[in-house]
Amino acid sequence: MNQIIPPTIPPALFAERADAIAQAAAELAASGWTPATSSNFSMRLDAEHAAITISGRDKGHLGRDDIMLVDMQGHAVGTSARPSAETELHTQIYRRWPAMNVVLHTHSRTQSVASRLFAKEGAVRLQGWELQKAIAGQTTHDSELLIPVFPNTQHMPELVAQVDAWLDAGKPLHAYLIDGHGIYTWGRDMAETRRHLEALEFLLGCELDLRRLSA
Ligand SMILES: CSCCC(=O)C(=O)COP(=O)(O)O
Ligand SMILES: [Zn+2]
């Protein structure tokens, strides 16, 4: 892949972010959270650009050549490669929250089953779990943490509109599920975003266990 980097972006910064994406993706793939080329990952480079995975690549074996540049409208920059089919969901997060620098989307079995089970309720309601405090800004297990489940669609502007509607209603949002699909979460850096993803995977698994045990 021939990526031309705009003069305002230091090539070393692109390389560093691409390597960080590839490393995180390999680790998440090793956990079985990115089956069959699913999932996508991005990191902000500056106010106008993000590095994101090229569509359709095996997320367990990414190299620098599998990461490309997009602008904040989700258009490819400096390459004819095709960015993730879900790029608009990433750039929406960067546009809405200038402090957010990383977006991770995975398709683990737990995330996928939870998305189907809780779709009719519209959200997973987390309360009473100590691990809720792994999410930035959550200071107690007592507070309610809502993870919405949005209907799946192949038409990204519809998904973007669902996320916008949730946020425009003034509801807090740290992550969301897409029905039958997977999870999106984000953070200020890779460590925080990985922590969010791991905590949510654990919490969704606990909620599924509770449903099973109380059936
Ligand atoms: C085979 S997975 C279907 C698409 C998807 O949900 C996904 O996460 C990966 O799409 P991408 O275009 O980012 O490779
Ligand atoms: Zn996906």
Side-chain angles (χ1 to χ4, degrees):
M1 203 260 302
N2 197 14
Q3 173 70 64
I4 297 163
I5 300 175
T8 52
I9 299 174
L13 179 68
F14 176 75
E16 179 202 301
R17 298 282 150 89
D19 290 349
I21 290 172
Q23 188 188 334
E27 290 167 10
L28 295 169
S31 301
W33 296 6
T34 72
T37 76
S38 68
S39 309
N40 33 73
F41 309 106
S42 70
M43 292 184 84
R44 184 197 290 278
L45 287 165
D46 62 20
E48 298 300 327
H49 301 94
I52 193 163
T53 43
I54 293 178
S55 186
R57 301 288 163 95
D58 176 351
K59 307 310 187 301
H61 298 93
L62 297 177
R64 275 186 202 163
D65 279 358
D66 299 306
I67 317 289
M68 61 176 283
L69 276 176
V70 288
D71 65 22
M72 289 308 176
Q73 281 64 51
H75 302 129
V77 172
T79 174
S80 56
R82 193 159 54 94
S84 167
E86 298 165 8
T87 296
E88 288 163 71
L89 300 177
H90 292 247
T91 54
Q92 174 182 38
I93 290 160
Y94 295 128
R95 285 196 313 270
R96 293 213 61 138
W97 288 293
M100 296 302 142
N101 292 308
V102 180
V103 180
L104 301 177
H105 162 59
T106 52
H107 282 231
S108 80
R109 190 182 178 97
T110 296
Q111 294 151 15
S112 302
V113 173
S115 75
R116 304 239 71 182
L117 191 69
F118 291 95
K120 36 189 175 310
E121 294 160 49
V124 186
R125 185 181 157 278
L126 298 169
Q127 192 164 32
W129 302 105
E130 182 68 11
L131 218 65
Q132 287 172 224
K133 287 159 58 184
I135 308 296
Q138 305 294 299
T139 55
T140 165
H141 64 283
D142 273 336
S143 52
E144 183 182 74
L145 181 60
L146 272 185
I147 309 298
V149 186
F150 298 121
N152 198 16
T153 168
Q154 303 307 304
H155 188 52
M156 285 306 121
E158 270 177 59
L159 267 171
V160 167
Q162 292 175 52
V163 176
D164 275 337
W166 180 277
L167 290 169
D168 293 344
K171 300 180 194 169
L173 191 65
H174 301 280
Y176 58 83
L177 288 163
I178 306 173
D179 186 11
H181 185 159
I183 197 165
Y184 271 85
T185 192
W186 47 89
R188 286 167 291 194
D189 56 28
M190 184 59 86
E192 180 175 271
T193 314
R194 288 285 298 273
R195 196 182 74 225
H196 288 171
L197 191 59
E198 280 171 31
L200 290 163
E201 171 77 8
F202 177 85
L203 291 166
L204 292 173
C206 290
E207 290 289 340
L208 290 179
D209 282 349
L210 276 183
R211 291 275 168 130
R212 243 183 248 118
L213 292 166
S214 55

